[in-house]
C-alpha cells in the first residue's frame, strides 16, 4: 500500500470517529433527563442542560465539583460505595437524595455506567431520574394499605374477598372470629355459601350471578360456631379486573341480628299500639290537646257521641262541651292537676251539640317533655250516661221504698178522719136547703173525693194499683182546674190565661189523676210569684198526642237545681217535701206521656205535658 492510500484510510477512520462523537454529543445534550460525567476522583466533568435545570444551579457552580457536594450527607457512604463499584466496571443502580442550590432535597434514581478509554475505565456516566413524586405516591400507597389493613383487622364488620370465577373466599377479616366464632382461615379457600342458612342460599347465589347490578345490598343468615343463626346485611362491590383478569367481589357484612330483633319487637309494639288504639276507639272517646288546651285530634267515637264534626272541634277548647253542671272551681282544680304533670281522673257532665246531657268517666294524661313540662294532654273518656241513669234510678228506688212505707202509714191515718169529714158533709147537705150552701157543699164533697183520690195515689207509691181510664175533654178538665185554683190565684195577684189551638182532641185518662197533676203544677207557678204575675196555659193537638204547656213569668229555677226536680225529698220550697213533682211525673208516665220542665233564671218556667190522644191510647 502506498503512503497516499494510508492517509486516505486514516481520514475515513477519523470521519467515522467524528460521526460517533456527534452521536454521543447529541445523546448527551438532548437526553430528556439528567446526565453527567464524573472523572476517576468523582468530580463532575460535564452536565447536560436538563441537569442544570433540575439542580437549579449554574453550570459553572457544578463543573469540577465533587459529587458528594450535591448529595444528602447521610447518603455519602452508600453513594460512594456504588461509585467505586462502577469504577470497577459494574453498572450500578441506587436511589438517593439530591440537594438543589437552596438545599431543598429531592429524590432521584441513579444509574452509574463506566466508560472506557483504551479498554480502561476512565470515568463514569450517570443518568438521573427524579422520583420524588413516585416516592411520595408509593409512601401514600403504603400508608393507605396500612390504614386499610388496620381497618380490616379491627373493624367490627366482616370483610371478605370472593373470587367470582371460582366462588372462593380469598380473604376473610379477623372479625369473623368475633362475629361467627371461627378463625378467618376457616373461611379462606371455601365457598361464601359455606355456612349460609338453607332458606337463604338462593339470595347468595343471586348475589354471585348478577354481576351487572353491583353494588348490591342483601340480607341473609349465617351459622355461628355455637349453632345459632346470625343475620347479616351484606354490601357487595365488584372489582372487575384482578389477578389474571379474574373478577373479585368485595363483601362487607354487618351483624344486624339485634337490629332485626329490635325491628320485630317494634312491629309487635306497633301492632299492640294499633290494637290498643282500635280498642280505645271502639269503646272510648279519645281526644288530644296541645299545651294550651286546644284540641288537635279526636277519634270517631268522640264525634259520634258529641254530635260535632272533627273540623268543628279542632282548635277549640273542651269547654265547648261544658253543660254548666259543674262549678268553675271544678275545672280550676282539674287544670291545676294536669298542668303539674299529674294524671286526673273523674266524672264530668257534658253536653252534646244538640244540647243533650251525657256523663263521661274521664282520665286525662299529660305528656311531659324532657324538662317535665306538659306539651300535650290525652283525654280518654268512657260514656257512663246509662250507668249514671241507673244509679239515679237506684237512688230513686231507695227513696221510693222509704216513701212507700211512709205513704202506707200516712194514708191509713188520713182515711179515718177523711171518712168522718165526708160523712158529716153529706149529713150537712141533706139538712141545708139553700142553693148557695148546696153549691159550696158540692164543692166540699168534690174536694173530699179528690183528697181521697190523692191518698189513693199516695198509696200507689206503697203498692201498684189499677187505674181506670175514661174519655175526657181536656179543655173542660182544664177549665174545672182553673175554677178550683182561682181563689188562690186571686189572693196572690196572679192572672191565669188559657190558649186553645184548633182541632183539640179528646184524651183517655184518669181525670182525677190528671187534675191532680195540673193543680200541682199551677200551684207551683202561683207560689213562685209571691208578688203576682201571669200563668198561661196553652193547649196543642197533633195526630198522636195532646200537649199542655203551662208557662209562668216568675224568677225561674237555677240550672244546677233543674236536673234534680222530681227527685224524692228534693224541693226548692221552704215547707215542701219534694213529693209533688215526683207523683206528677209518675202519673204522666203511667199515662204513657212525658213530663218536662224548662226554666231560665229571670225568664220564668215552662212545664210541658204530653198525653196520647184518645185514638192513640186505643191503638197502644
Amino acid at each position: 500500500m502506498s503512503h497516499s492510500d494510508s492517509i486516505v484510510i486514516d481520514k475515513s477512520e477519523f470521519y467515522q470517529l467524528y460521526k460517533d462523537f456527534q452521536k454521543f454529543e447529541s445523546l448527551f445534550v438532548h437526553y430528556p433527563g439528567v446526565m453527567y460525567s464524573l472523572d476517576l476522583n468523582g468530580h463532575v466533568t460535564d452536565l447536560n442542560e436538563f441537569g442544570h435545570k433540575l439542580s437549579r444551579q449554574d453550570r459553572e457552580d457544578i463543573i469540577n465539583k465533587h459529587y458528594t457536594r450535591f448529595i444528602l450527607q447521610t447518603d455519602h457512604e452508600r453513594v460512594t460505595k456504588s461509585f467505586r463499584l462502577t469504577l470497577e466496571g459494574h453498572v450500578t443502580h441506587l436511589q438517593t437524595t439530591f440537594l438543589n442550590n437552596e438545599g431543598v432535597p429531592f429524590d432521584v434514581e441513579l444509574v452509574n455506567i463506566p466508560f472506557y478509554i483504551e479498554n480502561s475505565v476512565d470515568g463514569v456516566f450517570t443518568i438521573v431520574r427524579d422520583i420524588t413524586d413516585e416516592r411520595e405516591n408509593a409512601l401514600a400507597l403504603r400508608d393507605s394499605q396500612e390504614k386499610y389493613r388496620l381497618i380490616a383487622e379491627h373493624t367490627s364488620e366482616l370483610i371478605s374477598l370472593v373470587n367470582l370465577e371460582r366462588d372462593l373466599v380469598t380473604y376473610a377479616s379477623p372479625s369473623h372470629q368475633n362475629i361467627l366464632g371461627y378463625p378467618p382461615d376457616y373461611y379462606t379457600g371455601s365457598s361464601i355459601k359455606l355456612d349460609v342458612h338453607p332458606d337463604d342460599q338462593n339470595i347468595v347465589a343471586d348475589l354471585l350471578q348478577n354481576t351487572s347490578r353491583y353494588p348490591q345490598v342483601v340480607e341473609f343468615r349465617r351459622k355461628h360456631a355455637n349453632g345459632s343463626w346470625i343475620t347479616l346485611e351484606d354490601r357487595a362491590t365488584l372489582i372487575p379486573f384482578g389477578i389474571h383478569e379474574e373478577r373479585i367481589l368485595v363483601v362487607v357484612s354487618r351483624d344486624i341480628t339485634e337490629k332485626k330483633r329490635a325491628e320485630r319487637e317494634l312491629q309487635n309494639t306497633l301492632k299492640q299500639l294499633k290494637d290498643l288504639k282500635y280498642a280505645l276507639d271502639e269503646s272510648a272517646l279519645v281526644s288530644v290537646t296541645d299545651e294550651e288546651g286546644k284540641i288537635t285530634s279526636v277519634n270517631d267515637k268522640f264525634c259520634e257521641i258529641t254530635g260535632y264534626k272533627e273540623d268543628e272541634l279542632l282548635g277549640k277548647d273542651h269547654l265547648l262541651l261544658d253543660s254548666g253542671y259543674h262549678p268553675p272551681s271544678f275545672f280550676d282544680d282539674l287544670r291545676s292537676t294536669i298542668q303539674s304533670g299529674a294524671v286526673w281522673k273523674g266524672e264530668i257532665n257534658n253536653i252534646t251539640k244538640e244540647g243533650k246531657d251525657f256523663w263521661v268517666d274521664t282520665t286525662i294524661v299529660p305528656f311531659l317533655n324532657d324538662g317535665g313540662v306538659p306539651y300535650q294532654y290525652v283525654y280518654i273518656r268512657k260514656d257512663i250516661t246509662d250507668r249514671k241513669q241507673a244509679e239515679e234510678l237506684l237512688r230513686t228506688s231507695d227513696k221510693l221504698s222509704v216513701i212507700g212505707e211512709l205513704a202506707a202509714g200516712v194514708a191509713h191515718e188520713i182515711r179515718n178522719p177523711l171518712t168522718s169529714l165526708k160523712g158529716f158533709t153529706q149529713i150537712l147537705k141533706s139538712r141545708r136547703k139553700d142553693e148557695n150552701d148546696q153549691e159550696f157543699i158540692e164543692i166540699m164533697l168534690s174536694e173530699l173525693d179528690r183528697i181521697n183520690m190523692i191518698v189513693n195515689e199516695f198509696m200507689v207509691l206503697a203498692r201498684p194499683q189499677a187505674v181506670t181510664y175514661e174519655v175526657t175533654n181536656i179543655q173542660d178538665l182544664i177549665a174545672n182546674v182553673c175554677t178550683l185554683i182561682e181563689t188562690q190565684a186571686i189572693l196572690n195577684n196572679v192572672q191565669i190565661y188559657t190558649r186553645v189551638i184548633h182541632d183539640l182532641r179528646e184524651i183517655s185518662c184518669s181525670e182525677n189523676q190528671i187534675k191532680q197533676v195540673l193543680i200541682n203544677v199551677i200551684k207551683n207557678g202561683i207560689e213562685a210569684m209571691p208578688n203576682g204575675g201571669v200563668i198561661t196555659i196553652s193547649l196543642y193537638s197533633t195526630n198522636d198526642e195532646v200537649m199542655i204547656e203551662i208557662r209562668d213569668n216568675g224568677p225561674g229555677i237555677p240550672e244546677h237545681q233543674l236536673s234534680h226536680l222530681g227527685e224524692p225529698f228534693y224541693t226548692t220550697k221552704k215547707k215542701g217535701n219534694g213529693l209533688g213533682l215526683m207523683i206528677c211525673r209518675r202519673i204522666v208516665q203511667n199515662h204513657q206521656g212525658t213530663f218536662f220542665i224548662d226554666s231560665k233564671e229571670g225568664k220564668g218556667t215552662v212545664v210541658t205535658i204530653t198525653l196520647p190522644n184518645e185514638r192513640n191510647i186505643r191503638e197502644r
Side-chain angles (χ1 to χ4, degrees), residues 492-495 521-536 550-558 572 597-607:
N492 287 272
N493 194 28
V494 173
Q495 294 178 312
V521 172
I522 295 172
K523 285 182 64 177
N524 284 344
I526 293 172
E527 292 172 359
M529 298 182 293
N531 298 322
V534 175
I535 293 177
T536 303
I550 303 170
R551 180 187 300 270
D552 67 56
N553 60 354
I557 303 169
T572 59
I597 302 175
D598 185 26
S599 185
K600 302 290 184 183
E601 284 191 89
K603 295 185 177 180
T605 302
V606 179
V607 177

Side-chain angles (χ1 to χ4, degrees), residues 131-178:
I131 60 171
T132 304
D133 291 341
E134 289 182 14
R135 178 166 289 185
E136 289 178 354
N137 291 338
L139 290 173
L141 178 60
R142 283 198 295 273
D143 183 58
S144 297
Q145 289 174 337
E146 180 65 14
K147 288 178 180 177
Y148 288 131
R149 182 186 68 80
L150 292 173
I151 291 172
E153 290 182 357
H154 296 91
T155 183
S156 60
E157 297 180 336
L158 305 178
I159 299 177
S160 305
L161 298 181
V162 182
N163 186 311
L164 283 177
E165 314 300 338
R166 294 178 289 164
D167 183 21
L168 291 178
V169 176
T170 60
Y171 170 81
S173 63
S175 52
H176 281 70
Q177 177 82 51
N178 297 329

Side-chain angles (χ1 to χ4, degrees), residues 307-458:
Y308 288 96
K309 295 180 181 178
E310 183 179 10
D311 56 2
E312 294 177 310
L313 294 165
L314 297 182
K316 302 295 192 306
D317 193 285
H318 278 116
L319 290 176
L320 179 71
L321 306 176
D322 182 19
S323 65
Y325 177 87
H326 305 282
S329 59
F330 175 85
F331 294 105
D332 291 340
D333 292 341
L334 182 155
R335 281 189 290 268
S336 176
T337 299
I338 62 176
Q339 287 173 359
S340 70
V343 175
W344 186 91
K345 295 182 179 180
E347 296 178 352
I348 302 177
N349 181 265
N350 285 333
I351 191 169
T352 67
K353 183 179 180 180
E354 292 76 22
K356 181 180 178 182
D357 284 4
F358 67 100
W359 281 90
V360 284
D361 185 6
T362 304
T363 299
I364 307 174
V365 182
F367 281 20
L368 310 180
N369 60 22
D370 293 338
V373 177
Y375 65 90
Q376 69 176 15
Y377 303 96
V378 176
Y379 290 66
I380 303 173
R381 299 176 173 87
K382 183 174 179 59
D383 187 357
I384 58 170
T385 306
D386 291 342
R387 192 194 81 190
K388 295 293 285 187
Q389 290 176 347
E391 290 175 353
E392 188 67 25
L393 287 174
L394 182 60
R395 285 194 298 269
T396 302
S397 297
D398 291 341
K399 293 177 181 179
L400 287 175
S401 177
V402 175
I403 293 170
E405 295 179 6
L406 176 64
V410 171
H412 177 73
E413 295 299 326
I414 292 176
R415 275 180 170 171
N416 290 332
L418 186 63
T419 302
S420 300
L421 285 172
K422 188 172 182 180
F424 287 123
T425 303
Q426 289 174 338
I427 293 173
L428 185 61
K429 179 181 180 182
S430 64
R431 292 179 179 180
R432 304 289 296 186
K433 302 302 182 181
D434 187 270
E435 291 184 0
N436 291 330
D437 291 342
Q438 286 292 322
E439 181 181 355
F440 291 134
I441 291 172
E442 285 294 335
I443 293 174
M444 290 171 64
L445 287 172
S446 176
E447 287 303 292
L448 287 172
D449 288 337
R450 191 171 69 82
I451 292 173
N452 188 55
M453 288 299 298
I454 291 173
V455 171
N456 289 336
E457 285 301 324
F458 211 40

